[in-house]
Every structure is written in C-alpha cells, then in structure tokens.
Amino acid sequence: MKLLEHVRVLDLGRFITAPLAGQLLGELGADVVKVEAPGAIDPFRAFEGGLYGPHFQSHNRNKRSLALEFGEPEGRAVLRRLIAEADVILLNMRPGAEQKLGLDYESLRQLNPGLVYCSVTGFGASGPYAHRPAFDNVGQALSGWLSMFHQGADPRVPGPPVSDSLTGLYAALGVLAALLERARSGLGRKVEVSMLESLIAFSTEPLGQLSAKGERPGYYGRAALSQSYILTCADGLRIGLHLSSPEKFWRSLVTAVERPDLLSRFPDRASRIAGYDALARELAAVFARRNRADWMAALEAHDVPAAPERLLDELADDEQVRHLGVFHELRHPLRGTILAANRSIRFDGDNRSGFLPPPEFGEHTRDVLAQAGFGQDEIDGLRERGVIGA
C-alpha cells in the first residue's frame, strides 16, 4: 500500500535526521532518491567499513541512490533539473551551507513554487547557537532530555540516538502537513525542524509538571506517579510493570504476589507514590524468589499490566511480535537478506513497508536521470566528465 506513490522526494541528508525522514516517507510509498556526491558520501555508509554499513542501512530503506557531484556547477545544474520536478527536498546541514550550494529556499522556490522544502538543523536557522555543530547527544544535553535519564559522573551515555530520531519523525510529519496543504493551494512550504525544538516539544509531560508545580520532576518522579517497575526474577530475567492509577491493578498485583500485607502498608495511590522507593525494594525481594515464567503466568491470570523484558535479538521470537508481522525481510541481490521492521502505522490493516532495500552507492543513477528526461548520450557525457558516478 503506497499512499504517497506519486510523491517524489530528493534526500540530500546525511547521518540520521533527514535520511530517517526520507525513509519514513518511503515507507508510505514515496519515490525517495538519495543524492550523494562521490566525493562526499553519507558518512554512515562507511561507519563499519565498506559502503553499506549497518548505520546506513538503518536509515535508508525504500530509496534509490543517485551519485551526483552537486557541489560543482554542472552537477548543480543537473540537480536543479531534478528539483524542478520534485515534490520534496530534505536537507540537514548548518545554516548557510545551503546557500553556498545554491540550495537555499528562496532560490528553489523560484525554480519550483510547489516544492516542499524541509530544512533540519541542530539549533534552528538563527540565534546564538545556530552555527554550532550538533549531533544527537548535543541535542539531548541542551534540551534537558539527558538530565532526566542520566545521573552521576559516569561520562558514558547509554541507549540509541533520541534527538536525531525524533527530529526525523517531526520532519516527516511537517512534510506531510505541507503536502496536504499543497493539495489545496498548489504552493509548497519551507518546513524547518531543529533537534533542540523537537526534543523539547517531545518532553510534554515533564514540562507540564514543571509549569504546574514550578519544580523539576524528580529522577524517579514519573515512575512513582505511574507506579512503574523493572523487576529481576530468580532466573535473572526481568519483568516490566506499569500499574498506572486504577486501583484495581494494584489490588490485582497484591493478589498475584500473595502479599495482602502490602494493602495496609500502602493503602492508597498517594502512599504508593510517596513510598515508591520502599515499595520498589519490597517488590524486588518478592520477584527474586521465583522464575519469570512463573511470575508472568500469575500476573496474566490476575490481569496485571506487565510484560517480559525482551532483548533486541529476542524480539522476532516473541509470539505477539510474530502475530503482528512486525518484521520483514528485504532481499538485496548482492548483500543478501536484510531484516527490518515494518512501519508501525497500518492502513486498512496493512503495515507492509518493505519495498526497496537500502541502495548501493549510485545504484540507480542512470534510471533516475533517464526518468527525469536525460537522454542516454547526455547521461554518458555526464559520466565521462565525472559529474555522476556509478
């Protein structure tokens, strides 16, 4: 199901933000062309050797690849011909860099008034930080996000990229809104998204608490309010609990673990929130006495909101994940099988999103140019002069 089948996207992004936005649009069926200069490929291609690294694969499915030296005048002329017929262009670079390449919004709007121009930056297009370099952890640190998930002097940062990924998601959302408006007006928009603003916007609940209470939420404040726990069982495996506010789930848990004394010690939600640390220690001691499978059976029998903690390499074997058809396999003629997740959005029950594997560098250069109206002799000439690669 390709809802954006007739939308043509030029992805000039590198690393995560703009490429992920392009991948999300590709999962919805858009024709996404990743444009890379032979002398300045997406650095993610070579992160782990070769030109097809796992970081590149993760953010570039459902795209075709065009190898074009768009930093040179002849290459820019080729790119402008493509932009004239495109629906969307995706860029993530420091403010000012796009002008040096002739890719600023005003220039491209004159070329194609219907173009949806999406610019992704670290800190926005202007301001005292605008020209600073920015990557994921910079966005996490400045937005306040990292302070909510990291304490102490340990200099190591856990987990996957957050600000990069969320910014890519917001960029795709902005592009879709601009395309919807264009369907009525015929005119494009300049869509601007920054890592700083995206992660601040995503922090809706902690910011809401700050506004309402005039103080920062505590490190475990949200978990205390929601009564969330991660509990280690006798076999070393863990269970995630989230009791939320309905009283019935607390009483169901007490019954499941056979600890009626907890009802008198923590008689209401307020006491459980205030006593979160003590209750967490109690539950940890309880769950350490039996294996996870036994506890999961008891919790499920009493309708307690709980799930076994899955490691990434265990996900494909989970029965609910298998039932939903979360994963699909992409077949690459040279690279073999590539496992990826389908889109999380279903349309009329359809979540299939695996149309194209991540492209080899320049794999579709000739096809893209031919479809844009370039003749075979013209394409050969561009190749001979080093304007295009592959």
Side-chain angles (χ1 to χ4, degrees), residues 47 62 65 69 74 103-104 110 115 123 143 190 209 218 223 241 270 295 311 317 338 342 350 374 386:
F47 250 39
N62 292 323
S65 174
E69 285 287 6
E74 192 172 5
L103 297 174
D104 57 284
Q110 297 300 319
L115 183 68
F123 307 108
S143 68
K190 184 178 185 180
Q209 290 193 44
L241 292 181
W295 280 126
L311 304 180
D317 294 325
I338 299 169
N342 279 307
D350 188 347
F374 288 77

Side-chain angles (χ1 to χ4, degrees), residues 145-157:
W145 186 268
L146 197 59
S147 70
M148 297 184 285
F149 292 90
H150 189 281
Q151 281 188 330
D154 187 348
R156 298 170 298 175
V157 178

Side-chain angles (χ1 to χ4, degrees), residues 1-5 24-30 176 343 347:
M1 183 175 291
K2 298 186 177 184
L3 280 74
L4 301 182
E5 186 172 11
L24 293 172
L25 296 172
E27 287 182 349
L28 295 172
L176 290 174
R343 62 171 178 253
F347 298 100

Side-chain angles (χ1 to χ4, degrees), residues 227 229 243-244 246-255 259 262-269 272 279 283 304-305:
Q227 288 293 287
Y229 304 89
L243 302 177
S244 191
E247 186 71 14
K248 66 177 182 177
F249 293 129
W250 163 244
R251 293 185 173 275
S252 295
L253 174 65
V254 169
T255 303
R259 285 291 302 273
L262 294 176
L263 290 175
S264 58
R265 292 179 58 189
F266 302 96
D268 52 30
R269 183 167 178 261
R272 295 191 290 275
L279 182 52
L283 292 176
V304 179

